[in-house]
Amino acid sequence: MPHDTDQAMPADLLAHARAAKGFMPEEEGLLLHRLARARLPYGPVLEVGTYCGKSAIYLGAAAREVGGTVVTVDHHRGSEENQAGWEHHDPSLVDAELGLMDTLPVFRATLARAGLEEQVVAVVGASTRVSALWRTPLAMLFIDGGHAEVHATHDYLGWSPWLMTEGLLVIHDVFPDPADGGRPPYLIYLRALASGDFTEVEALGSVRVLRRVRGDAGDPVR
Ligand code: SAH
Ligand code: MG
């Protein structure tokens, strides 16, 4: 694809994304930014799995450029692998009084520093509780939440019906080879393809991009 400087991430926001704590490689973050730019004119972009806001900056940058809103959902208590004793634990993110993970304060500071508080709306709660209340068609859904099978499956089943036709389902941490990482994100990716409602349009690193071709919440045949 030819390099189009109009599509490049604004330099100030790229610096904020680079500085943010989190699990989003730059190349994949730039892909999120490009996809969100293309989709935000059609409706909101929703992210499951905020953590400290690294990916939210790539998405929010797109909203600053083209307008629209990014919603990011997280209970901010961390996934299994973020808990004490696990591989991705960061002791600086533990609330001393409660002895629980709390990424919300770091997220808020990160987002404020980036100047994206208007564009990015944080919803604090368990993904399934929030999706059960959701009624708004989404232009893009980015699933990057809990990696346990129950969470990944519920994220897919709870949120993907709200993705409009032509909308993009973007899944992170998809590892076809089990030696590279856990299965559940890969399993929901396979499930989406097997449904016949989605077709794969792009892949980069562990990101898979699927487009809904039929079967959104307003579709009478669903
Ligand atoms: N997108 C982030 C990384 C997300 S890590 C980045 O760019 O760095 C996964 C996040 O999902 C964690 O913050 C964890 O708290 C959250 N999470 C896990 N299970 C969840 C659930 N069931 N409901 C809401 N959030 C959940
Ligand atoms: Mg991830």
Side-chain angles (χ1 to χ4, degrees):
M1 183 184 295
H3 183 69
D4 178 351
T5 46
D6 287 347
Q7 304 278 314
M9 176 105 165
D12 61 323
L13 291 174
L14 182 57
H16 283 288
R18 282 179 177 154
K21 213 186 259 286
F23 306 105
M24 186 51 58
E26 182 165 323
E27 211 190 7
E28 297 174 20
L30 292 173
L31 171 60
L32 292 179
H33 170 256
R34 172 163 61 77
L35 298 172
R37 258 187 78 119
R39 291 304 305 165
L40 278 163
Y42 301 96
V45 169
L46 187 133
E47 166 179 77
V48 182
T50 314
Y51 194 60
C52 297
K54 197 177 187 75
S55 47
I57 294 179
Y58 288 102
L59 298 170
R64 193 181 81 179
E65 293 166 86
V66 301
T69 303
V70 174
V71 178
T72 181
V73 182
D74 200 309
H75 49 40
H76 287 280
R77 294 299 185 204
S79 299
E80 283 76 359
E81 65 271 23
N82 304 132
Q83 306 305 320
W86 290 75
E87 188 188 351
H88 293 289
H89 181 61
D90 177 343
S92 75
L93 296 172
V94 174
D95 178 297
E97 185 199 332
L98 299 173
L100 296 174
M101 288 275 300
D102 185 3
T103 46
L104 185 56
V106 178
F107 164 72
R108 289 210 81 184
T110 300
L111 204 68
R113 237 178 264 128
L116 291 173
E117 288 187 291
E118 219 177 293
Q119 289 83 359
V120 181
V121 174
V123 178
V124 181
S127 172
T128 325
R129 268 200 189 250
V130 182
S131 66
L133 302 175
W134 196 262
R135 293 295 179 270
T136 306
L138 300 171
M140 171 171 153
L141 168 63
F142 176 49
I143 298 184
D144 191 20
H147 286 168
E149 187 162 354
V150 60
H151 297 311
T153 303
H154 286 168
D155 288 345
Y156 172 67
L157 293 176
W159 291 106
S160 70
W162 295 104
L163 191 60
M164 61 181 71
T165 299
E166 296 296 314
L168 297 178
L169 170 61
V170 184
I171 307 174
H172 199 225
D173 305 303
V174 171
F175 299 113
D177 181 347
D180 297 329
R183 305 304 279 164
Y186 177 61
L187 295 177
I188 62 168
Y189 154 81
L190 291 180
R191 187 168 178 164
L193 286 175
S195 73
D197 292 346
F198 295 93
T199 180
E200 182 162 348
V201 290
E202 211 165 330
L204 178 73
S206 74
V207 178
R208 295 295 178 277
V209 185
L210 311 183
R211 185 183 301 281
R212 181 185 281 292
V213 290
R214 62 161 206 213
D216 70 30
D219 188 334
V221 302
R222 195 173 154 255

